[in-house]
Amino acid sequence: MFYIRKTIEEGLSRNALIDYIKADLYHRAGTAVTNFEEMLPGLQGTIAQEIVKDTYDLNFITLQSGYNEEDLEDALEQNITSFLLELGTGFAFVGRQKEIIVSGKTRKIDMLFYHIGLKCYVVVELKVVSFEPEFAGKLNFYVNAVNELLKTPDENPTIGLLICKDKDQTEVQWAFQGIQTPMGVASYDNIKIEEIKKQLPSEEQIQKRLELAEEEFLLKKQNDILAT
């Protein structure tokens, strides 16, 4: 029934439906740790919970081992169509490193989206490490800033989504206690790591370096002889 409803709501083609089934969307959608149903009114809270996933499959990007947050942002921006498909129906990309000015200080949001169905902004913060409680405070700040600076009176409250390498449900729930803004935490996986051999110099490059080193050695030796 879940996939039938998705097919009707999103007008899925046969291939798109197969992709959803293979990705096991039924078990991944709507399972992120959030406070949406508590902090958002009625139907909006339910829909917001349904659109977020517990784990986002980022198998469409390849990064080098030891990548940082900027590398991850670059890759997602370069593959924004695939990322939007993974986020789900209704998301529109507003911008990366979206600048906001608060009390004369410039702050930058990792990625900002707008959800057409929910009629609200979605602040997405990316972390290449496991969830830490202090991440919730920063996300809370950005959500409030967007509400104050970008949201119009006829739009619904902004929601925040932190996507990190891993998370502990208890830590997330405790970090959310006392926070009044709607936020969720999800994880990501399946990033392809560039093969080590691709990062190492080729045989031709090594040979050229050896020849250059030999030339430098002979030149130094000649200079030493002339100097004596």
Side-chain angles (χ1 to χ4, degrees):
M1 290 303 297
F2 171 84
Y3 291 112
I4 291 173
R5 183 164 58 86
K6 276 289 179 184
T7 300
I8 296 171
E9 290 176 351
E10 302 181 17
L12 297 179
S13 66
R14 182 175 183 275
N15 288 338
L17 176 60
I18 290 173
D19 288 341
Y20 273 9
I21 294 172
K22 285 184 176 180
D24 194 22
L25 186 66
Y26 174 71
H27 290 103
R28 293 170 55 216
T31 54
V33 184
T34 78
N35 62 2
F36 293 158
E37 294 188 345
E38 293 81 12
M39 295 301 141
L40 292 172
L43 185 59
Q44 188 189 10
T46 301
I47 295 175
Q49 181 64 46
E50 289 180 352
I51 68 170
V52 293
K53 301 175 182 177
D54 178 65
T55 304
Y56 288 89
D57 188 347
L58 303 185
N59 66 359
F60 51 86
I61 61 176
T62 301
L63 295 171
Q64 292 186 0
S65 176
Y67 62 88
N68 58 30
E69 289 169 15
E70 184 178 359
D71 297 329
L72 179 57
E73 285 180 39
D74 283 339
L76 291 176
E77 185 179 32
Q78 292 166 10
N79 295 273
I80 192 61
T81 299
S82 297
F83 190 35
L84 285 169
L85 288 172
E86 177 60 14
L87 286 173
T89 302
F91 282 89
F93 183 47
V94 177
R96 175 197 169 195
Q97 289 295 302
K98 177 66 177 177
E99 185 178 89
I100 54 175
I101 299 176
V102 181
S103 299
K105 295 180 181 179
T106 297
R107 311 283 186 177
K108 293 184 178 180
I109 297 170
D110 287 349
M111 304 187 87
L112 185 63
F113 295 85
Y114 192 87
H115 196 275
I116 299 170
L118 286 173
K119 201 177 181 183
C120 71
Y121 285 101
V122 181
V123 173
V124 174
E125 283 291 295
L126 303 168
K127 297 294 181 183
V128 297
V129 295
S130 297
F131 174 81
E132 293 290 343
E134 54 264 33
F135 296 163
K138 185 177 181 181
L139 182 60
N140 178 54
F141 174 83
Y142 284 146
V143 170
N144 287 327
V146 171
N147 278 333
E148 294 292 333
L149 301 174
L150 299 178
K151 186 182 87 66
T152 61
D154 62 331
E155 291 175 325
N156 289 316
T158 303
I159 64 177
L161 178 61
L162 175 68
I163 302 177
C164 49
K165 181 170 286 188
D166 197 7
K167 65 185 184 300
D168 177 85
Q169 183 167 335
T170 300
E171 285 190 337
V172 175
Q173 290 174 338
W174 286 12
F176 279 3
Q177 289 183 15
I179 291 179
Q180 299 300 308
T181 52
M183 303 190 306
V185 177
S187 57
Y188 68 85
D189 64 10
N190 290 339
I191 288 180
K192 298 174 183 175
I193 301 299
E194 190 173 10
E195 295 178 21
I196 295 178
K197 66 180 182 181
K198 292 182 180 180
Q199 301 178 39
L200 296 175
S202 63
E203 291 184 16
E204 183 179 355
Q205 290 173 322
I206 294 174
Q207 183 61 38
K208 287 182 178 179
R209 291 181 186 180
L210 289 173
E211 291 172 356
L212 180 61
E214 185 177 5
E215 290 174 2
E216 291 175 347
F217 174 78
L218 293 175
L219 181 60
K220 184 178 183 302
K221 187 174 181 179
Q222 290 175 357
N223 290 336
D224 290 342
I225 292 174
L226 292 174
T228 57

